[in-house]
C-alpha cells in the first residue's frame, strides 16, 4: 500500500489489511481471496453478518467485526454527500438508497414469504406518521436483481397511494430496487411510469 497506494491493491489485499493475519497455512491475502470466493464476490461478502463471517475458519469475532465495520463505513461514505440534499427525482432516491439496501439481507418493514409480501399500510406509514411527514417514498428490493414489479407490487402500490390520501401523506413514489450481475443498481419507479 505504501508503494502502490490503496487503488493499486486487489480486493483480497485490501481485505488482508483489515484481517491483519491469516490462519495456519494461509496468508491474510489468501484468506481474503477465500472469503471473496466462498461468499460469491465482494458484494455478497459485504452483505454477510458478523455472525456469518465469524464462522469462517481463520476469521473469528474480532476480524468479522472489522470487516462489517469497513463495509458499513463504505456505505456511509457513499451516502455522505447525499445527506441533507433534497431528493427531487427517482434517480436521487436510488443514489441514496442503493448503497444502503444492497448491503442489507432484509430491509424490514414487513417480512415476506418466498413469493409474496405480508404487507399492511399501518406498518408502511408508521415512520411517516411518527415524523409528521408531509410526503413519503416507499422502496423495496427484489433479491432476484430484476426490479420489474409483480402483480402484488402493483396492487400494493395502489393501496399505499390510497392509504396516503386518507392519511394526508403524499406518496411521491414507490421504487423497486434490483441489481445487475455487474453490481449496477437497477430500479423501477412507479412515478416515472405514471403509476404513482
Amino acid at each position: 500500500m505504501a508503494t502502490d497506494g490503496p487503488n493499486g491493491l486487489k480486493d483480497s489485499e485490501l481485505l488482508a489489511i483489515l484481517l491483519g493475519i491469516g490462519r495456519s497455512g494461509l496468508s491474510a491475502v489468501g484468506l481474503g481471496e477465500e472469503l471473496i470466493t466462498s461468499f460469491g464476490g465482494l458484494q455478497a461478502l459485504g452483505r454477510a453478518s458478523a455472525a456469518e463471517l465469524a464462522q469462517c475458519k481463520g476469521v473469528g469475532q474480532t476480524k468479522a467485526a472489522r470487516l462489517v465495520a469497513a463495509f458499513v463505513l463504505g456505505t456511509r461514505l457513499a451516502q455522505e454527500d447525499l445527506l441533507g440534499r433534497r431528493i427531487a427525482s427517482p434517480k436521487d432516491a436510488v443514489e441514496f438508497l442503493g448503497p444502503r439496501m444492497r448491503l442489507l439481507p432484509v430491509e424490514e418493514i414487513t417480512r415476506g414469504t418466498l413469493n409474496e409480501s405480508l404487507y399492511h399500510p399501518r406498518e408502511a406509514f408508521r415512520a411517516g406518521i411518527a415524523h409528521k411527514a408531509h410526503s413519503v417514498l416507499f422502496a423495496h428490493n427484489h433479491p432476484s436483481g430484476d426490479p420489474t414489479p409483480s402483480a402484488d407490487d402493483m396492487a400494493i402500490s395502489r393501496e399505499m397511494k390510497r392509504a396516503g390520501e386518507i392519511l394526508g401523506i403524499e406518496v411521491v413514489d414507490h421504487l423497486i430496487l434490483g441489481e445487475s450481475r455487474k453490481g449496477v443498481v437497477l430500479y423501477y419507479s412507479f412515478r416515472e411510469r405514471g403509476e404513482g
Side-chain angles (χ1 to χ4, degrees):
M1 186 142 140
T3 56
D4 298 331
N7 291 327
L9 299 178
K10 295 188 293 185
D11 294 339
S12 58
E13 294 169 327
L14 291 169
L15 286 173
I17 292 169
L18 295 169
L19 293 166
I21 58 171
R23 64 170 191 259
S24 180
L26 190 66
S27 69
V29 173
L31 181 55
E33 289 173 0
E34 184 176 281
L35 288 171
I36 291 168
T37 301
S38 66
F39 279 90
L42 203 56
Q43 293 280 336
L45 181 62
R47 289 187 194 96
S49 68
E52 290 172 310
L53 292 168
Q55 290 177 5
C56 298
K57 189 176 178 185
V59 176
Q61 291 182 348
T62 301
K63 291 178 188 175
R66 278 191 214 129
L67 292 172
V68 170
F71 282 114
V72 170
L73 278 172
T75 298
R76 290 181 182 175
L77 178 63
Q79 292 177 324
E80 190 173 68
D81 65 333
L82 297 169
L83 292 174
R85 255 180 50 189
R86 184 171 181 263
I87 295 178
S89 71
K91 287 184 181 178
D92 291 344
V94 170
E95 279 183 37
F96 181 75
L97 293 171
R100 174 177 288 170
M101 290 183 75
R102 75 183 345 158
L103 291 180
L104 294 176
V106 178
E107 177 77 5
E108 191 169 332
I109 286 177
T110 180
R111 184 174 293 224
T113 62
L114 180 63
N115 60 358
E116 69 178 338
S117 173
L118 306 174
Y119 156 83
H120 194 280
R122 78 171 158 259
E123 303 303 325
F125 281 92
R126 179 178 292 166
I129 292 167
H131 289 91
K132 299 181 171 105
H134 172 269
S135 58
V136 293
L137 179 144
F138 292 107
H140 75 275
N141 71 322
H142 279 181
S144 68
D146 180 2
T148 305
S150 66
D152 284 342
D153 291 332
M154 303 287 272
I156 286 170
S157 194
R158 288 189 296 272
E159 189 176 342
M160 287 190 299
K161 187 167 182 157
R162 282 194 302 272
E165 288 167 359
I166 291 167
L167 293 167
I169 300 174
E170 179 189 6
V171 177
V172 295
D173 203 351
H174 176 193
L175 297 172
I176 303 173
L177 301 179
E179 188 173 333
S180 75
R181 290 185 178 171
K182 294 184 179 180
V184 176
V185 177
L186 306 172
Y187 74 93
Y188 183 98
S189 163
F190 283 79
R191 176 181 167 187
E192 282 184 346
R193 304 294 176 111
E195 300 164 351

